[in-house]
Amino acid sequence: MRSLSGRTVDLLIIGGGIIGAGIARDAALRGLSVALVEQEDFASGTTSRPTRLIHGGLRYLELFDFALVRGDMREREILLRIAPHLVFPLPFLLPLYRPSLWYQAKLRIGMQLYDILSLDKSLPKRRWLGREETLAAEPALDPEGLQGAWRFYDAQVPLVERLVIENVVDAATHGALVLNHARANSYLRDGDRVGGAVVLDRMAGVELALRGRLTVNATGPWLDRTIAPLRSGAKPLLRLTKGIHLVTPRATQQAHVLFARRDDRLFFVVPWLDASIVGTTDTDFDGDPAAAAATEEDVRYLREEARRAFPNAPFDEIFFTWAGVRALVREEGVSEGEVSRKHALYDHQRRDGVAGVLSVVGGKITAYRAIAEEVTDLAARKLGRDQRASTAEAMLPGADGSRARAIAALAASDPSLATPLCPHHHGVAAEIVHAVRHEWALTIGDALLRRTALGLAPCQGLDCVDAVAELMGRLLGWDAERRAREIAAYCREVEPMRRFSVK
Ligand SMILES: Cc1cc2nc3c(=O)[nH]c(=O)nc-3n(C[C@H](O)[C@H](O)[C@H](O)COP(=O)(O)OP(=O)(O)OC[C@H]3O[C@@H](n4cnc5c(N)ncnc54)[C@H](O)[C@@H]3O)c2cc1C
């Protein structure tokens, strides 16, 4: 960490969500010197609260956003190739109930377009399934009035947190200095030029002056807050909307795209790990993105709609929920669902007369690599460097099985690390040790929620939290009082997710 202070890097990136992590990797692979700072943990923001799909998004066809869908389909192919251990093909059903002729025609065209816009894809093409075939594939569907279903393919990233971590790991392997639990509190200014940021290392309790030839704000829904000192009084750049998901016992055999009876909105029921995800909602949000949580009304809406589609599925039981805040490019006079999901790149020299700082906002996880490439292209041009991106070809570090091998070797070297930590989950102690030693896991939440899948099990690791604190404490030098504080902090972290947990 000391090596960060007093050095000037080419690129200082503020925000360690998928966008910041993607930029750090791209820039480091091009040979730029990079520092990445994240106020909480990598992937702790919006990035760990999505539907976890890598998709073009049928919905955007309705908005005639063909370029967005085409770009996302191209990225879907790239991610299936460079991260085959994290991104998997996912077949969907789109069931139809007594549709009008107009509606049938509209969906047929939508399905054709979805295929046409991804002509070069490796995934199978759409297919119409009749009523019997649909019910055989998904017995949980309400049979009343069912006509059949479209089957089409997209992709899923079940552990999106690991997609972020692997981008950070690769950035660090290529020389990037990375720091989590470190908040950029103010900018270093030299007249009308930003020359980096003052960052509070919250673990060490010290402030660092990090100098960057160029500073990139990749703070997602926090952008209006983080950029405020440079554009006082200016109109907000973002429109924030909240979306929540329910995690329930496995409810269906297939992934489904459904239309809510109440307002005709599209939503998903998707198998995820050993559970199901139901989501999402889309409501305007005002406040600190860190405080976003599901409300009773959010939960009722999703539960009612999911029950309508699958009358006997176990939606009474909720393991936990998560809520995320979309950072959408501000557009006036449109409803939440109609705001474009396109990203935007702001050069504050042109916009606000302040040089040395760029901001990126919006976009989907699906498009993160292309967005990172666009930002790094601009940054490289501004820095007078001409290296090209290699992220469309370079595999992510875990793709060759090296992480799995490292964990297996750890477990082989010490049998106590080979045993599962939790009675409900297969995750072993060696995973936590690896996360602490090689992946910047500094809190129990970092280890359970964003390095391993232990905290994503129904019990969220609460039954083994003492053992995890003991293990991490040995590695990080925690005494009994610190262990108790870390356990309490973890319980506070998962509390908003567990407000509606029902068995
Ligand atoms: C409900 C919902 C469902 C979604 N589903 C999908 C989907 O299925 N597929 C898909 O492709 N996309 C989906 N998205 C979109 C996707 O999740 C986001 O576009 C993406 O995660 C944004 O990443 P980000 O890095 O910009 O933001 P974030 O992940 O929020 O990262 C920003 C980071 O900046 C940090 N930060 C803020 N201020 C500071 C500071 N001062 N100093 C240091 N760090 C700071 C924050 O802690 C945060 O970690 C969904 C979004 C939502 C809300």
Side-chain angles (χ1 to χ4, degrees), residues 14-20 37-55 182-185 218-222 226 241-245 280-281 322-327 360-367:
I14 304 175
I18 190 67
I19 301 293
V37 296
E38 161 56 47
Q39 65 177 356
E40 298 289 341
D41 185 26
F42 305 121
S44 61
T46 305
T47 298
S48 52
R49 291 130 199 277
T51 317
R52 297 170 186 262
L53 301 177
I54 299 298
H55 63 159
R183 182 188 300 130
N185 274 340
T219 50
W222 285 266
T226 48
T241 76
K242 186 187 79 173
I244 77 131
H245 291 83
T280 178
T281 54
W322 64 69
V325 178
R326 299 176 188 86
V360 56
V361 71
K364 290 154 62 188
I365 290 163
T366 307

Side-chain angles (χ1 to χ4, degrees), residues 227-235:
I227 204 66
L230 302 182
R231 49 190 320 267
S232 54
K235 273 192 172 172

Side-chain angles (χ1 to χ4, degrees), residues 123-332:
L123 299 172
K125 273 178 70 174
R126 75 189 182 281
R127 193 162 81 78
W128 171 253
L129 309 186
R131 176 187 157 84
E132 296 315 317
E133 216 181 335
T134 302
L135 285 171
E138 185 54 78
L141 271 171
D142 183 5
E144 180 64 32
L146 178 70
Q147 192 184 19
W150 282 105
R151 177 191 287 287
F152 68 97
Y153 279 75
D154 253 318
Q156 184 181 36
V157 57
L159 297 179
V160 63
E161 299 80 357
R162 290 232 43 96
L163 189 65
V164 176
I165 299 302
E166 294 207 9
N167 273 276
V168 177
V169 165
D170 211 25
T173 304
H174 289 86
L177 301 160
V178 305
L179 208 56
N180 52 350
H181 302 282
R183 182 188 300 130
N185 274 340
S186 56
Y187 294 95
L188 294 168
R189 298 280 297 259
D190 184 9
D192 284 342
R193 194 171 183 86
V194 165
V198 177
V199 174
L200 173 67
D201 177 340
R202 299 168 63 207
M203 288 292 167
V206 293
E207 281 202 328
L208 307 163
L210 299 187
R211 303 202 160 273
R213 288 181 190 93
L214 210 54
T215 298
V216 176
N217 250 298
T219 50
W222 285 266
L223 177 64
D224 278 322
R225 291 162 184 250
T226 48
I227 204 66
L230 302 182
R231 49 190 320 267
S232 54
K235 273 192 172 172
L237 298 171
L238 303 182
R239 175 159 181 186
L240 303 183
T241 76
K242 186 187 79 173
I244 77 131
H245 291 83
L246 313 179
V247 179
T248 70
R250 178 62 74 88
T252 64
Q253 294 185 12
Q254 311 283 329
H256 295 268
V257 181
L258 301 154
F259 292 90
R261 215 51 88 74
R262 201 195 292 185
D263 54 6
D264 216 24
R265 278 192 57 253
L266 182 153
F267 72 104
F268 297 98
V269 175
V270 181
W272 175 65
L273 307 180
D274 296 329
S276 282
I277 304 178
V278 182
T280 178
T281 54
D282 199 353
T283 48
D284 273 319
F285 182 82
D286 185 8
D288 183 354
T295 63
E296 222 165 298
E297 172 51 24
D298 295 330
V299 172
R300 189 180 316 121
Y301 170 85
L302 287 177
R303 204 188 233 161
E304 274 176 19
E305 293 296 343
R307 269 201 197 117
R308 273 197 190 118
F310 307 101
N312 299 314
F315 295 120
D316 286 339
E317 197 176 333
I318 293 178
F319 293 148
F320 52 89
T321 63
W322 64 69
V325 178
R326 299 176 188 86
L328 306 174
V329 178
R330 193 164 190 87
E331 288 175 43
E332 304 295 340

